[in-house]
Amino acid sequence: MALVVAPAAAAGAAGAGEVDVDKRVQKAVGKRTLDYTAPYLVWANARLATPFPSDLVSMGPTFADSLSLLPPAAYASRPASSVPSKIAHATWGHARSAVNAAAWTPDGRRLVLGSGSGEFSLLNASNLTFESVMRTHTAAVRCITYTHNQQFVVSTDDAGFANIFQPNFELMVALQAHREAVRSVSFSPTDLKFATGSDDSKIHVRVVPGKGCTSRDAQHVKGHVHMHACDRLCADAQHVHSM
C-alpha cells in the first residue's frame, strides 16, 4: 500500500508543526572531556605489586606507553616525567579583561579565576568550559586563597577590600583591609589568623571571622608591620614556628 500526500496537504502538515524532511540534520560535535581518574586507577593497581614508589617503571618515549601514564604524584622521584610541554586548552573568558588570580577548588574539579573586572569565573576542569560568572568585587581581583581546612576562601582587590566567602561562594564578610591594593593573603597553620600585604607598605594580621560575623567585628586588626618606602607584594606564614 502506497500513501500519496498532495502538495497542499503537505504544506498544511508542515505548517502544523511537522518536521521538514528536506532539512539537513547538523552533525553533532562532542565536547572534549579530560578524564583524570584513569591514571589514578592504574596507579592504585600498580601499588599492589610495587609498594615502594621508586620501584615503579618509568614511562617510555613511545605513544603506546602513554596508556600506562600515572599521575604526577607517582613520579615523585622522577619529576622530569611530569613537566608539561603542551598547552591542553586555551579559551576566552566572558569578560575580555586580564586574569590576575587563579585557584583550584578543594575538590580539584573547578578552577576559580579572578579577572580585572572584579568577577569570578568557574572553569570546569573536565570539559574545559565556563560554568558561571559571579560579580564579587567592584575593582580588579588580585588574590584568591583558600584556608588550609578548606572552609573559607578570601579574595582581595585593588580597592583594598578582602572578601571572605564560604566554599559555595556565599559572601560572609567584606572588610576594608587596606587603603590600597591588597596583593597577597596568607593563613596561619591553625587557620585562626590571616595576613594581608598591600601597596600601602603595611602587613595586617587579623582573626578569621566565623559565621555570623559582621564587617565591624572583622575590621579589628590584631597587629601590623609597617615597611617604609616599599610595596608589600607578598605575605606568607611560617608553618613550623607559626610566625
Side-chain angles (χ1 to χ4, degrees):
M1 179 183 296
L3 179 61
V4 179
V5 181
E18 296 290 339
V19 180
D20 190 359
V21 295
D22 294 335
K23 185 178 180 180
R24 296 182 179 180
V25 179
Q26 296 182 356
K27 185 178 180 181
V29 178
K31 294 184 178 179
R32 183 180 179 182
T33 303
L34 299 179
D35 184 13
Y36 53 86
T37 59
Y40 283 93
L41 296 177
V42 175
W43 186 26
N45 294 330
R47 292 181 63 181
L48 298 177
T50 56
F52 298 100
S54 59
D55 296 339
L56 293 174
V57 180
S58 301
M59 186 179 61
T62 61
F63 179 78
D65 293 327
S66 62
L67 300 177
S68 58
L69 177 66
L70 300 180
Y75 301 108
S77 59
R78 295 178 291 272
S81 301
S82 304
V83 176
S85 59
K86 184 179 180 181
I87 298 178
H89 182 72
T91 183
W92 286 98
H94 290 80
R96 296 297 180 90
S97 59
V99 177
N100 300 327
W104 288 99
T105 56
D107 56 3
R109 297 180 180 273
R110 295 172 180 84
L111 181 64
V112 186
L113 304 177
S115 65
S117 59
E119 296 179 346
F120 276 2
S121 300
L122 292 182
L123 181 65
N124 193 314
S126 298
N127 52 17
L128 303 176
T129 58
F130 285 96
E131 292 186 352
S132 61
V133 179
M134 299 169 289
R135 183 76 175 182
T136 57
H137 291 266
T138 57
V141 180
R142 287 298 174 183
C143 180
I144 302 175
T145 306
Y146 277 87
T147 58
H148 299 98
N149 56 15
Q150 303 173 356
Q151 293 184 359
F152 303 103
V153 56
V154 177
S155 62
T156 61
D157 58 14
D158 279 348
F161 278 87
N163 295 351
I164 303 178
F165 301 89
Q166 296 184 9
N168 58 354
F169 296 102
E170 180 181 353
L171 181 62
M172 292 181 54
V173 179
L175 58 93
Q176 182 74 42
H178 294 267
R179 296 182 178 179
E180 297 184 16
V182 181
R183 299 184 180 272
S184 180
V185 176
S186 180
F187 288 89
S188 64
T190 58
D191 287 334
L192 297 179
K193 299 178 182 179
F194 69 99
T196 55
S198 173
D199 287 350
D200 59 2
S201 303
K202 293 182 181 180
I203 297 177
H204 288 178
V205 180
R206 287 182 170 85
V207 176
V208 177
K211 295 183 179 180
C213 178
T214 61
S215 299
R216 180 176 298 179
D217 299 333
Q219 286 287 356
H220 182 63
V221 181
K222 301 297 292 185
H224 73 275
V225 179
H226 184 77
M227 306 297 291
H228 296 277
C230 62
D231 296 339
R232 299 296 90 206
L233 302 182
C234 181
D236 197 5
Q238 217 283 347
H239 296 270
V240 178
H241 302 288
S242 298
M243 294 187 299

